[in-house]
Amino acid sequence: MLRQKEVKSVLNKHKKRDSWFLDDYSVNPYEGCSCNCLYCYIRGSKYGENMEDGLALKANALEVLEKQLAVKAKKNQYGFVAVGSGTDAYIHHEEKYRLTEGMLTLLLKYRFPVFISTKRTLITRDIELLKKIDEAAILPDDLKDKLKRGLILSVSVSTLEEKISNMLEPGAVAPLKRLELVKQLKQEGFLTGVNAIPVLPFISDTEEELEKIILASKEHNADYILVGGLTLFGNGPADSKTLFYKFLERYDASLLPKYQKLYGSNFYVPFPYQNELKERANRLCKKNNIRSTILE
Ligand code: SF4
């Protein structure tokens, strides 16, 4: 049985809108995530090496969310709500507990627009609910002319190699299955793209590998592809930097010195790397005629 906890607040308002995903708010039905990605930014001592062990369900989340949404709606403070920013909204526990579904039902009731990024196919269970949100949501005033719909869906892919994905993202579905999900969501009429965030230095960020991801996204009818670098936090035993470096030792130890040189004692990739990656991604998206942002 999943651990349950009570929360005082569940709707988080960002200081400013997320420039990638356009969300002004986020909600997380679960604390922690069973996808267990080694690079996950929420890792660390709080969740331990296996995040499944520290996972909790927010037992009173729906009651609290309803109150918070009612206040925001009354003040006309509409904005995209990212459902699952510190968890995947469709972890396997969602099949049983249906907390994401409950949150989406409330977001529909109060007409908030929704952004969801997932690595799992359970999202197809909620297609009819998501269609209603897409139609009924009230956009924030400054997005009304730019985006005439209330739902943005993304599927995250860091590599197309199943072997690497199995090692790095053990609780997610295989990368090609994720791309098939993009196609399916597009067939349902949703605005759907691919988050190639993070791409992996020297593995999936190269000209050739990045173009493969971009082409595969286009072939699966993605509306856009967002490309971003890898952040590796912390040096503790359950932190992402430690776990990622252990993965490199198992996958290809010759990459380890390259990463150590790139990251040094930092958690972020240096600016020149970020700029090069951005330039490469924009150029390859242009060449292959696919948007590198959600908005046109
Ligand atoms: S799916 Fe997202 S939240 Fe879940 S472990 Fe992976 S990176 Fe973290």
Side-chain angles (χ1 to χ4, degrees):
M1 171 113 179
L2 199 55
R3 187 166 63 87
Q4 309 221 348
K5 65 176 286 185
E6 299 281 312
V7 289
K8 289 199 174 107
S9 168
V10 74
L11 182 70
N12 312 300
K13 170 92 174 79
H14 307 325
K15 283 199 183 98
K16 64 178 188 139
R17 178 174 298 154
D18 188 285
S19 56
W20 289 103
F21 311 130
L22 308 179
D23 52 302
D24 289 304
Y25 301 94
S26 60
V27 290
N28 288 295
Y30 303 94
E31 191 178 271
C33 180
S34 63
C35 285
N36 246 324
C37 306
L38 298 188
Y39 52 71
C40 182
Y41 79 100
I42 64 163
R43 278 191 169 278
S45 50
K46 187 172 171 194
Y47 295 110
E49 205 164 317
N50 179 6
M51 289 204 286
E52 181 100 32
D53 296 341
L55 199 67
L57 170 156
K58 297 180 180 174
N60 60 337
L62 298 184
E63 194 188 311
V64 175
L65 180 61
E66 172 136 36
K67 281 188 194 142
Q68 292 186 300
L69 288 176
V71 172
K72 297 287 179 198
K74 203 169 174 190
K75 293 182 182 165
N76 197 27
Q77 291 174 342
Y78 288 95
F80 272 88
V81 180
V83 179
S85 60
T87 187
D88 190 308
Y90 290 100
I91 55 174
H92 65 90
H93 300 279
E94 172 60 18
E95 277 177 62
K96 178 174 176 189
Y97 295 104
R98 304 187 85 112
L99 204 46
T100 295
E101 183 189 39
M103 286 188 162
L104 291 173
T105 305
L106 288 173
L107 289 161
L108 172 63
K109 178 175 172 186
Y110 290 94
R111 302 184 65 189
F112 275 77
V114 166
F115 168 82
I116 301 175
S117 175
T118 187
K119 292 177 178 146
R120 296 184 43 85
T121 52
L122 183 60
I123 191 172
T124 56
R125 179 200 66 191
D126 290 340
I127 278 176
E128 292 313 312
L129 182 53
L130 293 169
K131 281 185 182 170
K132 288 181 191 157
I133 292 173
D134 200 12
E135 278 170 25
I138 298 172
L139 294 182
D141 289 341
D142 60 326
L143 287 181
K144 277 183 180 150
D145 291 339
K146 298 179 188 150
L147 188 75
K148 300 205 179 304
R149 51 196 317 168
L151 183 77
I152 304 169
L153 299 179
S154 267
V155 170
S156 291
V157 176
S158 286
T159 170
L160 296 180
E161 298 294 329
E162 196 166 337
K163 178 185 159 198
I164 301 176
S165 170
N166 282 342
M167 293 170 90
L168 273 185
E169 307 158 326
V173 300
L176 286 180
K177 245 186 162 175
R178 287 180 234 169
L179 290 172
E180 280 159 20
L181 175 64
V182 172
K183 199 172 200 170
Q184 188 181 352
L185 294 171
K186 278 295 297 166
Q187 277 163 356
E188 295 290 345
F190 296 118
L191 171 62
T192 312
V194 169
N195 293 350
I197 305 175
V199 283
L200 315 170
F202 315 109
I203 298 174
S204 58
D205 71 339
T206 61
E207 184 88 11
E208 194 187 346
E209 292 302 315
L210 191 56
E211 187 158 27
K212 274 191 210 163
I213 298 177
I214 290 171
L215 273 171
S217 304
K218 193 175 155 78
E219 276 162 18
H220 289 81
N221 300 335
D223 289 305
Y224 61 85
I225 175 158
L226 309 177
V227 179
L230 173 71
T231 304
L232 292 173
F233 286 114
N235 295 310
D239 286 332
S240 59
K241 196 171 191 182
T242 311
L243 294 176
F244 198 90
Y245 281 13
K246 275 192 190 167
F247 149 77
L248 288 175
E249 277 168 15
R250 280 180 287 132
Y251 170 66
D252 178 356
S254 72
L255 292 174
L256 196 53
K258 294 185 183 177
Y259 270 73
Q260 284 162 337
K261 194 170 168 207
L262 184 65
Y263 285 85
S265 57
N266 302 318
F267 302 145
Y268 294 95
V269 272
F271 277 118
Y273 172 95
Q274 289 180 31
N275 291 337
E276 263 178 54
L277 179 63
K278 195 172 172 196
E279 182 281 320
R280 191 179 312 139
N282 288 344
R283 177 168 44 74
L284 290 174
C285 284
K286 209 169 172 190
K287 177 181 162 194
N288 292 293
N289 198 21
I290 182 166
R291 293 203 310 271
S292 56
T293 53
I294 292 175
L295 292 176
E296 292 188 41

